[in-house]
Amino acid sequence: MGCTETKTVVKQILSDYLQRKGYRETPERYAILQEIYSTDSHFDVETLYIHMKNNGYQVSRATIYNNIDLLCECGLVIRHQFGKKNSLYEKAYECKQHDHLICTRCGKVTEFCDPRIQEIINSAKRNSNFTISHHSLYIYGICAECRNEIEKVPITL
Amino acid sequence: MGCTETKTVVKQILSDYLQRKGYRETPERYAILQEIYSTDSHFDVETLYIHMKNNGYQVSRATIYNNIDLLCECGLVIRHQFGKKNSLYEKAYECKQHDHLICTRCGKVTEFCDPRIQEIINSAKRNSNFTISHHSLYIYGICAECRNEIEKVPITL
DNA sequence: ATGTCTGCAAAGCTTTTGCACTGAT
DNA sequence: ATCAGTGCAAAAGCTTTGCAGACAT
């Protein structure tokens, strides 16, 4: 999981960013980055914390919270807030642009791609005074499995 | 603020929904709906609670939380989670489709319209097994004011 | 009369903060 | 030798829950 070359590149990006900002290169920062780039799905802070513990890294929750913000700022990680649950994150480097379909019943998240979103972003860029950094398109609905379950139960809950 | 005809229609929608689901028609539910449809901007639960208090309604926070979920379910209200702050809501009936530009520095939210988003949703509908109910497109960046402020300060903070 | 809905306060969760210590520069 | 960064635990939000009483049906 996670190709070696990508990991080398993202470490370099983090290193450059830290130096440019005058931040320190702590082992915790690289450990968190390493762990995130070994994961392929969306994750929350608690899950990342547990995974790191299990993999023998000793990093506190506070440090994860601090550094995941930093990783978002330098574009290596993206934060999502699907539904009203806690924040979920995913790695952002060399991941082809994609958006999300979210089942409002079971919480399942599916990714999809549509290049036309770029045109919308470009228009927004032209028409606004914003310097655009990133976007999130979430489409909410009911997935096939949930629809089947609902149809099995004739009584409206 | 808020036209009378719209308010009549949304009350009817709520009434129909409550009856269809077998829920009760409490004065609190209509008071919350009334208050929301008198507001034109995004709001959080605390602000709504304060406004209702100031306007002489006696409704608890718990009741607002319960019923704002209900109003989301019946499509009269939409929940947003811009950035990592708390949930913001807005009325959803007879509001032309729009999306959001969010300044990641000051939190300012600007609305914009782009009909092409509908084509993307339609494709997603065709290509997935989801029954789509709604969507959110958030574009993040730095607004003009914040950019000016940043440029005034030559030192990277 | 029945059982849902409300209000209040307490509890629950995620995230942030304060502070003493560690370690990168 | 500094002082940013870390870890821990406490604190701080926002939101949910439990329970007794109110009220829509």
Side-chain angles (χ1 to χ4, degrees):
Chain A
M1 215 188 269
C3 92
T4 314
E5 202 199 319
T6 298
K7 287 186 183 173
T8 310
V9 177
V10 297
K11 272 186 207 162
Q12 192 55 52
I13 293 173
L14 176 56
S15 174
D16 292 348
Y17 181 79
L18 295 175
Q19 286 185 20
R20 184 157 56 80
K21 290 283 195 171
Y23 297 152
R24 294 184 177 171
E25 310 212 36
T26 67
E28 288 80 3
R29 288 181 168 155
Y30 287 100
I32 292 168
L33 183 69
Q34 158 74 29
E35 190 67 29
I36 290 175
Y37 272 79
S38 300
T39 305
D40 272 328
S41 53
H42 305 106
F43 58 89
D44 61 17
V45 168
E46 189 60 22
T47 307
L48 179 58
Y49 176 72
I50 303 290
H51 279 185
M52 293 190 74
K53 272 222 147 143
N54 292 345
N55 293 346
Y57 293 113
Q58 167 54 35
V59 176
S60 72
R61 264 173 271 253
T63 300
I64 295 181
Y65 275 108
N66 282 334
N67 285 304
I68 210 157
D69 280 354
L70 186 149
L71 292 173
C72 286
E73 281 158 26
C74 68
L76 289 171
V77 171
I78 289 178
R79 172 177 23 245
H80 292 289
Q81 290 183 260
F82 306 126
K84 48 179 165 176
K85 295 186 290 288
N86 53 354
S87 293
L88 296 184
Y89 300 86
E90 66 181 334
K91 59 189 178 190
Y93 177 74
E94 237 183 32
C95 300
K96 56 184 179 312
Q97 182 270 312
H98 64 265
D99 292 295
H100 297 90
L101 269 163
I102 300 127
C103 178
T104 51
R105 192 164 176 278
C106 70
K108 190 176 80 171
V109 177
T110 308
E111 300 181 357
F112 72 97
C113 277
D114 195 319
R116 288 173 293 181
I117 190 72
Q118 201 50 55
E119 296 167 25
I120 295 178
I121 311 245
N122 290 342
S123 295
K125 195 175 287 185
R126 277 195 301 277
N127 298 333
S128 73
N129 282 314
F130 279 66
T131 305
I132 290 168
S133 59
H134 63 287
H135 79 275
S136 298
L137 170 59
Y138 304 145
I139 301 183
Y140 297 94
I142 306 284
C143 73
E145 291 74 45
C146 283
R147 214 177 325 115
N148 286 341
E149 280 183 40
I150 293 167
E151 280 161 9
K152 271 186 210 144
V153 185
I155 293 125
T156 312
L157 292 176
Chain B
M1 216 187 266
C3 92
T4 314
E5 202 200 318
T6 298
K7 286 186 183 171
T8 309
V9 177
V10 297
K11 271 184 208 162
Q12 191 57 52
I13 292 173
L14 176 57
S15 175
D16 292 348
Y17 181 78
L18 295 175
Q19 287 187 19
R20 183 157 57 79
K21 289 282 195 172
Y23 299 152
R24 293 185 178 172
E25 310 212 37
T26 67
E28 289 80 5
R29 289 181 167 156
Y30 288 101
I32 292 168
L33 183 69
Q34 157 74 30
E35 190 67 29
I36 291 175
Y37 272 79
S38 300
T39 305
D40 273 328
S41 53
H42 306 105
F43 58 89
D44 60 17
V45 168
E46 189 59 23
T47 307
L48 180 58
Y49 175 73
I50 302 292
H51 279 184
M52 293 190 73
K53 273 224 144 138
N54 292 345
N55 293 346
Y57 293 114
Q58 167 54 34
V59 176
S60 72
R61 265 174 271 253
T63 300
I64 295 181
Y65 276 108
N66 282 333
N67 285 304
I68 210 157
D69 281 355
L70 186 150
L71 292 172
C72 286
E73 281 158 26
C74 69
L76 289 171
V77 171
I78 289 179
R79 173 178 20 247
H80 292 290
Q81 291 183 258
F82 306 127
K84 47 180 165 176
K85 295 186 290 288
N86 53 353
S87 293
L88 295 185
Y89 301 85
E90 65 181 335
K91 60 188 176 189
Y93 176 74
E94 236 183 32
C95 300
K96 57 184 176 311
Q97 183 272 312
H98 65 266
D99 292 295
H100 298 90
L101 269 162
I102 301 126
C103 178
T104 50
R105 191 163 176 279
C106 71
K108 191 176 82 172
V109 176
T110 308
E111 300 182 355
F112 72 97
C113 276
D114 195 319
R116 287 172 293 181
I117 189 71
Q118 201 50 55
E119 296 167 24
I120 295 179
I121 310 251
N122 290 341
S123 295
K125 194 175 289 185
R126 277 195 300 277
N127 298 333
S128 73
N129 282 313
F130 279 66
T131 305
I132 291 168
S133 59
H134 63 287
H135 78 275
S136 299
L137 170 59
Y138 305 145
I139 301 184
Y140 298 94
I142 306 285
C143 72
E145 292 75 45
C146 283
R147 215 176 325 116
N148 285 340
E149 281 183 39
I150 293 167
E151 280 161 9
K152 272 186 208 143
V153 185
I155 294 127
T156 311
L157 292 177

